[in-house]
């Protein structure tokens, strides 16, 4: 399974949520984080153009930003699926 | 001496109570009524705090943009909670955390003074007309059941119901007590007319409020006494004015331990209430005529002195606001001049203080600002320990060049700087977090408090790691020493890069910032570490560096790695989103060490 650790963290969060001791997270909230990460990634790409001496370092940073974006999109999709299955139960 | 004075005061009050109980059994009922009323008010306050779940704080944060809005908040919040002390405490807490301005704080106090007059209306209009003890009984029963529930909201509702029930019961006790008392005694024989009566009964009202620590209780007593004919209308008006003065004494006592902002607010409160009281006393005759005119207009009976007193109470507080609002700029200037802002200290806590109370919003804001303060001190120390200056790094267009050129000795005594600017501040943060974590607060707020404490701990770890590195970094960078100096420059560059990135993160608008970007720095750091290891290997193979120097460097590189990891850990925790929901998402998305290791193995 992709993002196995993230998945178990999400399950733990949902357990806490059921007990009323955590905040409900919506897919739209994750969308806000994704927007920030995308903006940040765009900034890194701009920096590659203006600071060629840092290209290698920036490539690693962009790699990390991509991975973070992948995790965020996966989380958003899980929350959308959960919301969809809850709505169909109703 | 202070201790003996308070013991003497307590003894005097208890003695007077015993004497009064001995003289009249009806007085026991009145005193028990006051006790129930005060207990009820305390429970109501606690219940509303729990029931609101921070609602009052959120409303306050959103409604203090202008003086009318701040006053509006003070009026509404005090009318709903019937507790000006709760509203004042929240105002002091927000002011201390820097979340509202002094002008907004004063506006809230003005509004709370007006809002508190609704209490007189409730007592005179409802409390004395209806047999409220009948309503008290079910409230007490339902409240007791609810207060033992696990849910915070139900518990809060139970406490609030119990509080209202006790307040109602207290009013009924006082009413019955005065009815019985009136059959045997006639206190109106003690009535005093003219200016002497005005002064003496104003002092009586102030003293009663100081003793009971509640202007509501004084108003309840005087309205009930007035309704049962135990006090003259003229003297009751003076008692109401005195109650306003008495409230400020309570606030002043509370402000004795407060920080400069709390002291300013308490002084502003004292000035406002004193001006209001003086104006009311000097204009008592026209005010009384105006009260009669308004009462006749709205249909309050000529003999209904209890309601007329409520009209007077509201009217003279309105007069105070009308007099003081135009003087607001002068009042603010005076307060800021009279109680000067202490000069900021880099080694002492600037944001966390005793006035923050138990409100998660203010506690977390102050804690975050204090950890940022510690982070700034840490960044300066770390930079200087490596013969660098943070301001030069921030201004640099090419960090590599700036680091290579920074070879002049800064002469920092790391141990001394740690003692002066890190240790005390860190201890204060840890102590504050320990004290506040004992409070009951939502899980997310408690978790945030813990994260901020952990961030401070990580900063100290960074300083300690740099302490080990300092001596060699200084030795090999003050004088060019071939390849070894170049290797140390690489370490200095890596740390400088992280200091700059953290500083830039701090300067980014919170809405644009994401603590998740720290992961990028971790990735870049691992890449640089790998490159340095490769270089070292090559230098050893080509014998361009001695084994002794290589060993020293390896040890120092490990300390540098510890320092950089600790700095990134601290930043990741410190710059979590202020929105608790987004912060929760960031916690989920943050990569665990084992995930990173797994990824590295795969790549």
């Amino acid at each position: 399974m992709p993002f196995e650790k993230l998945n178990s963290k999400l399950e733990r969060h949902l357990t806490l949520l059921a007990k009323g001791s955590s905040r409900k997270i919506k897919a739209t909230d994750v969308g806000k984080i994704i927007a920030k990460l995308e903006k940040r990634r765009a900034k890194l790409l701009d920096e590659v153009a203006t600071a060629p001496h840092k290209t290698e370092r920036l490539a690693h940073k962009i790699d990390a930003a991509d991975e973070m974006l992948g995790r965020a999109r996966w989380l958003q999709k899980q929350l959308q699926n959960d919301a969809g299955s809850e709505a169909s139960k109703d | 001496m202070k201790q003996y004075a308070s013991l003497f005061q307590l003894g005097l009050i208890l003695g007077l109570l015993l004497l009064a109980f001995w003289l009249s059994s009806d007085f026991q009922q009145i005193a028990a009524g006051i006790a129930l009323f005060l207990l009820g008010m305390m429970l109501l306050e606690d219940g509303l705090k729990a029931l609101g779940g921070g609602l009052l704080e959120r409303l306050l944060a959103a409604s203090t943009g202008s003086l009318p809005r701040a006053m509006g908040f003070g009026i509404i919040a005090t009318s709903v909670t019937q507790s000006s002390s709760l509203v004042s405490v929240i105002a002091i807490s927000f002011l201390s955390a820097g979340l509202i301005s002094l002008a907004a704080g004063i506006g809230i106090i003005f509004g709370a003074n007006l809002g508190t007059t609704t209490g007189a209306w409730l007592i005179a209009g409802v409390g004395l007309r209806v047999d409220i003890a009948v309503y008290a009984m079910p409230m007490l029963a339902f409240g007791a059941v609810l207060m033992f529930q696990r849910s915070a909201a139900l518990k809060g509702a139970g406490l609030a119901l119990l509080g209202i029930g006790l307040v109602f019961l207290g009013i009924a006790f006082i009413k019955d007590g005065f009815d019985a008392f009136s059959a045997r005694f006639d206190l109106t024989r003690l009535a005093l007319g003219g200016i002497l009566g005005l002064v003496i009964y104003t002092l009586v009202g102030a003293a009663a409020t100081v003793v009971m620590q509640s202007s509501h209780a004084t108003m309840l007593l005087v309205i009930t006494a007035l309704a049962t004919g135990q006090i003259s209308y003229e003297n009751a008006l003076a008692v109401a004015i005195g109650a306003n003065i008495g409230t400020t004494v309570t606030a002043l006592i509370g402000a004795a331990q407060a920080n400069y902002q709390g002291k300013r607010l308490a002084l502003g409160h004292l000035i406002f209430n004193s001006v209001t009281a003086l104006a009311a006393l000097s204009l008592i005759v026209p005010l009384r005529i105006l009260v009669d005119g308004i009462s006749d207009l709205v249909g309050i009976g000529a003999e209904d002195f209890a309601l007329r007193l409520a009209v007077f109470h509201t009217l003279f507080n309105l007069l105070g606001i009308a007099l003081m609002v135009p003087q607001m700029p002068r009042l603010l200037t005076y307060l800021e001049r009279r109680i000067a802002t202490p000069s900021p200290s880099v080694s002492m806590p600037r944001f966390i203080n005793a006035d923050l109370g138990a409100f998660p919003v203010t506690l977390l804001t102050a804690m975050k600002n204090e950890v940022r303060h510690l982070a700034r001190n840490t960044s300066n120390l770390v930079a200087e320990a490596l013969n660098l200056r943070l301001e030069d790094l921030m201004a640099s267009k090419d960090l590599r060049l700036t680091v290579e050129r920074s070879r002049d000795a800064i002469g920092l005594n790391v141990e001394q700087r740690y003692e002066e600017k890190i240790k005390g501040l860190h201890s204060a943060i840890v102590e504050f977090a320990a004290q506040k974590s004992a409070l009951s607060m939502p899980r997310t707020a408690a978790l945030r408090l813990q994260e901020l404490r952990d961030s401070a701990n990580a900063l100290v770890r960074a300083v300690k790691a740099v302490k080990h590195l300092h001596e060699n970094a200084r030795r090999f960078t003050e004088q060019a020493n071939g390849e070894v100096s170049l290797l140390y420059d690489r370490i200095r560059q890596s740390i400088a890069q992280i200091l700059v990135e953290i500083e830039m993160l701090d300067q980014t608008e919170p809405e644009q910032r994401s603590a998740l970007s720290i992961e990028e720095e971790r990735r870049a750091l691992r890449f640089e570490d790998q490159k340095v290891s490769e270089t070292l290997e090559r230098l050893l193979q080509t014998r361009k560096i001695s084994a002794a120097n290589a060993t020293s460097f390896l040890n120092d590189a490990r300390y540098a790695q510890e320092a950089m990891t600790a700095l990134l850990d601290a930043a990741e925790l410190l710059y979590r989103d202020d929105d608790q929901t987004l912060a929760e998402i960031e916690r989920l998305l943050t990569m665990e060490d084992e995930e990173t290791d797994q990824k590295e193995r795969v790549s």
Side-chain angles (χ1 to χ4, degrees):
Chain A
M1 174 187 278
F3 311 125
E4 201 172 332
K5 190 82 190 171
L6 173 59
N7 190 44
S8 64
K9 276 163 96 178
L10 177 62
E11 276 174 13
R12 200 167 64 229
H13 165 78
L14 293 173
T15 314
L16 283 172
L17 188 67
K19 284 184 191 165
S21 44
S22 191
R23 279 174 183 258
K24 188 174 168 64
I25 295 171
K26 287 184 262 171
T28 47
D29 296 324
V30 184
K32 289 178 195 165
I33 298 277
I34 292 176
K36 278 189 190 184
L37 290 172
E38 279 171 344
K39 210 174 255 181
R40 170 81 189 160
R41 190 183 183 279
K43 208 173 155 198
L44 290 172
L45 285 174
D46 288 347
E47 216 179 323
V48 172
T50 53
H53 60 284
K54 282 163 70 179
T55 313
E56 217 176 353
R57 186 174 199 278
L58 287 168
H60 285 86
K61 290 180 76 165
I62 292 168
D63 187 33
D66 284 341
E67 197 174 321
M68 215 38 100
L69 266 167
R71 289 164 72 83
R73 288 187 183 122
W74 179 87
L75 179 64
Q76 190 181 40
K77 206 169 170 191
Q78 294 298 311
L79 294 171
Q80 276 164 349
N81 290 346
D82 286 353
S85 57
E86 266 177 37
S88 63
K89 268 186 215 166
D90 298 337
Chain B
M1 192 66 194
K2 233 178 181 179
Q3 195 189 353
Y4 291 119
S6 60
L7 272 176
F8 174 74
Q9 191 187 3
L10 177 68
L12 186 69
I13 293 168
L14 292 177
L16 285 173
L17 272 176
L18 278 173
L19 180 69
F21 291 166
W22 178 68
L23 284 173
S24 159
S25 59
D26 302 322
F27 188 78
Q28 289 183 26
Q29 196 168 359
I30 297 171
I34 297 169
L36 286 174
F37 179 83
L38 292 173
L39 187 62
M41 290 296 286
M42 279 165 63
L43 288 177
L44 178 63
E45 196 173 305
D46 288 347
L48 287 171
K49 264 197 262 181
L51 188 62
L55 176 71
L56 215 52
E57 293 101 278
R58 287 199 295 279
L59 279 177
L60 185 144
S63 38
T64 49
S66 63
L67 185 62
R69 288 177 78 173
M71 278 172 53
F73 171 82
I75 295 169
I76 294 167
T78 312
S79 305
V80 172
T81 61
Q82 284 298 304
S83 173
S84 61
S85 62
L86 171 65
V87 175
S88 305
V89 165
I90 297 178
I92 290 180
S93 172
F94 271 67
L95 187 59
S96 298
L99 289 170
I100 59 170
S101 63
L102 180 62
I106 298 276
I108 292 171
I109 297 294
F110 284 8
N113 256 40
L114 191 59
T116 204
T117 65
T118 54
W121 285 94
L122 288 174
I123 296 164
V126 183
L128 299 182
R129 283 158 210 273
V130 184
D131 184 9
I132 53 174
V134 176
Y135 299 101
M137 301 307 164
M139 282 184 184
L140 291 172
F142 286 125
V145 172
L146 290 174
M147 74 172 278
F148 290 112
Q149 299 305 306
R150 280 179 67 186
S151 147
L154 284 178
K155 199 173 184 166
L159 283 173
L161 264 182
L162 211 58
I164 299 171
L166 286 177
V167 164
F168 281 11
L169 205 61
I171 293 175
F173 261 59
I174 293 170
K175 205 168 109 185
D176 292 348
F178 266 112
D179 282 340
F181 192 79
S182 309
R184 277 188 278 270
F185 297 96
D186 180 13
L187 287 181
T188 46
R189 279 180 299 174
L190 302 175
L192 281 170
I195 294 175
L196 184 66
L198 210 56
V199 172
I200 287 186
Y201 276 89
T202 300
L203 291 176
V204 167
T209 306
V210 171
V211 170
M212 293 188 286
Q213 303 265 305
S214 164
S215 62
H216 259 61
T218 307
M219 288 308 292
L220 168 65
L221 269 182
V222 75
I223 290 170
T224 320
L226 191 61
T228 50
Q230 286 292 328
I231 188 169
S232 71
Y233 180 52
E234 289 80 3
N235 292 158
L237 298 182
V239 172
I241 297 171
N244 257 38
I245 300 173
T247 317
T248 60
V249 176
T250 314
L252 280 181
I253 293 169
Q257 302 295 324
N259 77 346
Y260 70 101
Q261 291 284 40
K263 285 193 171 80
R264 283 174 180 170
L265 203 61
L267 183 59
H269 195 184
L270 174 71
I271 293 171
F272 171 64
N273 281 26
S274 305
V275 168
T276 307
L278 275 175
L281 286 172
S282 13
L283 299 171
I284 191 91
V285 177
L287 269 176
R288 209 183 142 173
I289 295 168
L290 192 60
V291 168
D292 289 342
I294 293 172
S295 301
D296 293 343
L297 200 70
V298 297
I300 296 172
E303 296 299 310
D304 194 346
F305 292 116
L307 266 182
R308 283 174 185 248
L309 180 62
V311 175
F312 173 76
H313 197 209
T314 304
L315 204 64
F316 88 78
N317 273 291
L318 267 174
L319 172 72
I321 290 176
L323 287 172
M324 289 305 291
V325 166
Q327 301 302 320
M328 191 72 162
R330 286 178 68 186
L331 177 65
L332 291 175
T333 310
Y334 172 75
L335 292 174
E336 281 163 357
R337 235 185 253 159
R338 187 84 183 78
I339 300 164
T341 309
S343 49
S345 159
V346 283
S347 49
M348 296 302 289
R350 283 184 205 163
F351 305 95
I352 51 177
N353 57 63
D355 292 343
L356 295 162
F359 309 106
V361 183
T362 52
L363 291 182
L364 293 177
T365 305
M367 180 78 167
K368 185 176 179 177
N369 285 332
E370 206 62 76
V371 179
R372 281 178 68 200
H373 176 198
L374 180 68
R376 172 51 71 91
N377 287 0
T378 302
S379 291
N380 278 319
L381 185 152
V382 168
E384 287 177 33
L386 303 173
N387 270 351
L388 301 166
R389 291 197 188 275
L390 192 60
E391 56 272 26
D392 295 343
L393 301 177
M394 288 307 294
S396 169
K397 289 210 163 41
D398 187 336
L399 265 186
R400 191 178 58 85
L401 264 182
T402 309
V403 169
E404 279 174 11
R405 284 174 187 165
S406 303
R407 303 219 170 268
D408 295 340
I410 287 183
L412 171 76
N413 182 334
V414 180
E415 191 56 46
Q416 192 184 345
R417 176 73 72 84
Y418 168 72
E419 291 287 333
E420 282 171 6
K421 295 194 175 165
I422 307 286
K423 198 176 172 188
L425 200 51
H426 177 237
S427 304
I429 289 171
V430 171
E431 192 185 342
F432 182 80
Q435 278 173 4
K436 301 302 173 187
S437 61
L439 299 170
S440 132
M441 60 172 94
R443 189 194 77 97
T444 44
L447 188 63
R448 186 72 193 119
L449 192 67
Q450 200 181 324
E451 281 179 344
L452 289 167
R453 184 208 54 199
D454 291 348
S455 173
N457 291 344
L459 289 168
V460 172
R461 276 207 316 274
V463 172
K464 291 194 169 166
V466 165
K467 259 203 260 184
H468 295 294
L469 171 66
H470 167 64
E471 197 47 46
N472 280 345
R474 192 189 58 75
R475 187 154 64 96
F476 287 114
T477 57
E478 281 172 21
Q479 284 174 350
N481 208 330
E483 296 292 345
V484 193
S485 293
L486 293 179
L487 279 175
Y488 275 92
D489 275 353
R490 296 273 284 271
I491 288 185
R492 295 202 304 155
Q493 271 170 41
S494 293
I495 297 180
Q497 185 72 52
I498 283 176
L499 293 179
V500 168
E501 294 290 346
I502 291 175
E503 193 62 26
M504 279 163 65
L505 199 61
D506 187 75
Q507 287 171 14
T508 309
E509 287 296 314
E511 305 78 47
Q512 307 290 326
R513 180 167 66 199
S514 172
L516 294 171
S517 62
I518 291 293
E519 186 54 34
E520 298 161 11
E521 285 313 310
R522 289 193 200 280
R523 194 68 61 87
L525 179 61
R526 275 192 290 275
F527 150 71
E528 311 223 337
D529 186 44
Q530 202 180 335
K531 269 178 61 178
V532 169
S533 298
E534 285 165 12
T535 311
L536 183 66
E537 188 94 356
R538 192 168 33 81
L539 290 174
L540 269 170
Q541 281 167 1
T542 54
R543 296 179 187 276
K544 285 188 177 162
I545 183 171
S546 69
N549 278 347
T551 316
S552 294
F553 176 76
L554 272 175
N555 282 335
D556 287 337
R558 192 166 52 81
Y559 289 130
Q561 192 70 26
E562 272 177 34
M564 289 186 278
T565 307
L567 285 171
L568 291 175
D569 288 347
E572 194 167 56
L573 295 167
L574 177 56
Y575 298 110
R576 278 245 189 282
D577 209 297
D578 290 329
D579 181 310
Q580 291 299 307
T581 309
L582 299 188
E584 193 74 11
I585 299 171
E586 287 184 345
R587 282 183 202 110
L588 284 174
L589 293 175
T590 301
M591 286 180 78
E592 305 281 315
D593 288 346
E594 54 188 281
E595 284 179 284
T596 315
D597 294 345
Q598 198 179 9
K599 182 167 165 53
E600 271 185 7
R601 278 198 300 273
V602 171
S603 60

